[in-house]
């Protein structure tokens, strides 16, 4: 069982979490619980490190003392939940990442889990103890605390579930499952009872915030069944609730499209008058890769005149300034004429494993957008998704149009 920051935001919510844990224990299950820091606490701790004069937390180098500070939020939550469970008469104790141990590499601030020896945890759980584990953190092999970066508590939970051979990993959050799209935009969005790992992976990477991308990748690799549930329900209300994330083969009827996702965290960079010969793309994208900048959508086309080409690509908004600096600094070497930047764009995507065996998915998408007057700037596809880049002002209109076009309000 994993509980995020909003689920443990204060003592009353921690008591609610304790009731959910107690219900699983009473049902005869062996339980491990992974907790995040209280909502807002990690941001506060990060601000403290900034105030203490910590070096800039860049991609390549993070001070290991930074990890020692920001990991403390989960330690507090784990201790409070264990105390609450004990006061309810349950056998419980808190575990820090180094006590499990959750062994990581030495990339402080963005560490990856190398190994979780399960012996200590399984022995405690076999003895009837509820193991309350601080998420988001591990320990390097030289004994230093390391944090796992964005979505680290979800990743901790899946990794621990895999290590102890758990039957399931329940991710409790502030929504009651995975929806066909964001209910805040489309009131007719429906909760999915089941979704495949691949679909969830695409949705997480394309803007859906229900599960962290790394946790879905790990669950898929380790074949850990996930269930997304609301932490605000009472134990007796959870029957037939939530969404199961599982193998595609476990879903009886494959939907053509399972969901519509969107992301406003996009910036489009256009290069005009590129030399049209081999190696130009490599010059551009190798520089961006060396700076650890992730490039998403890419389109290249011949220019109208001369032996030249135009290229468009997208990066995250927070990476836009750095990407512009890198590309502009190499303008003479690369040889393009002009560069344009547009941060008023959004990516809207449709996702579904049924695309593999059905035709006309793109036609439906493009027709629905055209009928609403939404212009498509860039298109990218994979086997189970189609993404388009559009003017950000049309994001909600596009999401609602596509949700209706694929009949997702009828699920």
């Amino acid at each position: 069982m994993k509980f995020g920051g909003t689920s443990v935001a204060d003592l009353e919510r921690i008591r609610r979490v304790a009731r959910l844990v107690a219900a699983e224990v009473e049902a005869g299950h062996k339980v491990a619980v992974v907790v995040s820091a209280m909502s807002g606490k990690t941001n506060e701790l990060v601000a403290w490190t900034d105030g203490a004069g910590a070096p800039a937390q860049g991609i390549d180098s993070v001070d290991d003392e930074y990890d020692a500070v920001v990991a403390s939020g989960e330690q507090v939550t784990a201790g409070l939940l264990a105390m609450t469970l004990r006061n309810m008469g349950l056998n419980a104790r808190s575990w820090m990442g180094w006590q499990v141990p959750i062994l990581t590499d030495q990339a402080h601030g963005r560490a990856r889990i190398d190994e979780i020896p399960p012996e200590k945890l399984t022995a405690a759980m076999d003895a009837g103890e509820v193991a309350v584990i601080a998420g988001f953190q591990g320990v390097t092999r030289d004994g230093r605390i390391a944090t796992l970066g964005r979505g680290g508590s979800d990743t901790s939970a899946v990794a621990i579930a895999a290590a102890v051979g758990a039957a399931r990993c329940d991710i409790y959050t502030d929504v009651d499952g995975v929806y066909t799209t964001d209910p805040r935009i489309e009131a007719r969005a429906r909760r999915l009872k089941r979704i495949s790992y691949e679909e969830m992976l695409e949705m997480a990477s394309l803007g859906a915030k229900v599960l962290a991308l790394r946790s879905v990748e790990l669950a898929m690799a380790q074949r850990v069944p996930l269930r997304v549930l609301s932490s605000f329900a009472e134990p007796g209300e959870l029957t037939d609730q939530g969404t199961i994330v599982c193998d595609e083969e476990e879903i009886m009827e494959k939907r053509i499209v399972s969901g519509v996702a969107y992301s406003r965290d996009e910036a489009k960079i256009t290069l005009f008058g590129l030399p049209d010969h081999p190696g130009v793309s490599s010059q551009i994208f190798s520089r961006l890769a060396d700076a650890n900048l992730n490039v998403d959508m890419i389109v290249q086309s011949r220019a109208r005149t001369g032996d030249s080409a135009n290229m468009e690509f997208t990066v995250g908004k927070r990476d836009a300034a750095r990407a512009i600096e890198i590309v502009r600094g190499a303008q003479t070497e690369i040889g393009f004429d002009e560069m344009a930047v547009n941060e008023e764009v959004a990516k809207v995507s449709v996702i579904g494993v049924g695309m593999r065996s059905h035709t006309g998915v793109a036609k439906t998408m493009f027709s629905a957008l055209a009928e609403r007057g939404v212009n498509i700037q860039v298109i990218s596809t994979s086997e189970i998704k189609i993404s388009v880049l559009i003017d950000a002002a049309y994001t909600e209109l596009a999401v609602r149009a596509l949700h209706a076009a694929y009949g997702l309000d009828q699920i």
Side-chain angles (χ1 to χ4, degrees), residues 137-266:
Q137 61 175 254
V139 62
T140 64
R141 294 186 187 274
D142 61 354
R144 296 296 291 165
I145 292 172
T147 60
L148 307 182
R150 184 177 178 83
S153 291
D154 281 1
T155 305
S156 300
V158 174
I160 289 165
V164 301
R168 191 179 68 239
C169 180
D170 287 350
I171 307 288
Y172 286 82
T173 182
D174 53 0
V175 295
D176 63 349
V178 180
Y179 277 69
T180 50
T181 197
D182 188 341
R184 294 170 298 181
I185 288 181
E186 175 51 82
R188 293 176 293 179
R190 296 289 182 266
R191 178 174 57 84
L192 298 167
K193 291 187 177 180
R194 287 179 178 264
I195 187 170
S196 73
Y197 291 119
E198 289 178 275
E199 290 172 320
M200 192 66 245
L201 199 60
E202 291 282 12
M203 291 181 77
S205 68
L206 294 168
K209 306 297 185 186
V210 179
L211 289 173
L213 178 61
R214 282 172 62 189
S215 70
V216 182
E217 290 175 335
L218 185 58
M220 183 174 173
Q222 298 293 329
R223 287 300 185 261
V224 175
L226 297 178
R227 185 169 64 152
V228 180
L229 295 161
S230 171
S231 61
F232 300 106
E234 292 298 331
E237 300 171 355
L238 293 175
T239 304
D240 196 36
Q241 293 299 305
T243 299
I244 298 286
V245 185
C246 58
D247 277 315
E248 182 183 339
E249 290 72 22
E250 296 179 45
I251 301 174
M252 293 290 292
E253 195 64 35
K254 309 294 190 299
R255 296 172 294 272
I256 299 175
V257 169
S258 293
V260 181
Y262 69 94
S263 170
R264 292 189 174 101
D265 180 30
E266 306 291 330

Side-chain angles (χ1 to χ4, degrees), residues 41-52 54 57 66 69-70 136:
K41 180 56 68 175
T42 300
N43 289 339
E44 180 184 29
L45 294 168
V46 170
W48 286 355
T49 67
D50 292 341
Q57 306 305 316
Y66 167 90
V69 173
V70 299
F136 179 61

Side-chain angles (χ1 to χ4, degrees), residues 19 27 62 64 83 89 155 176 180 222 265 276 311 348 362 383:
R19 292 196 295 272
V62 169
D64 55 356
M83 291 173 67
T155 305
D176 63 349
T180 50
Q222 298 293 329
D265 180 30
D276 191 15
M311 179 179 290
V348 179
E383 193 177 21

Side-chain angles (χ1 to χ4, degrees), residues 364-398:
T364 300
M365 183 179 201
F366 301 152
S367 296
L369 295 176
E371 287 172 7
R372 304 309 194 284
V374 179
N375 187 49
I376 297 171
Q377 301 180 26
V378 182
I379 303 168
S380 70
T381 65
S382 76
E383 193 177 21
I384 66 167
K385 65 95 174 170
I386 305 172
S387 295
V388 296
L389 197 72
I390 62 173
D391 190 308
Y394 293 95
T395 306
E396 296 188 10
L397 175 64

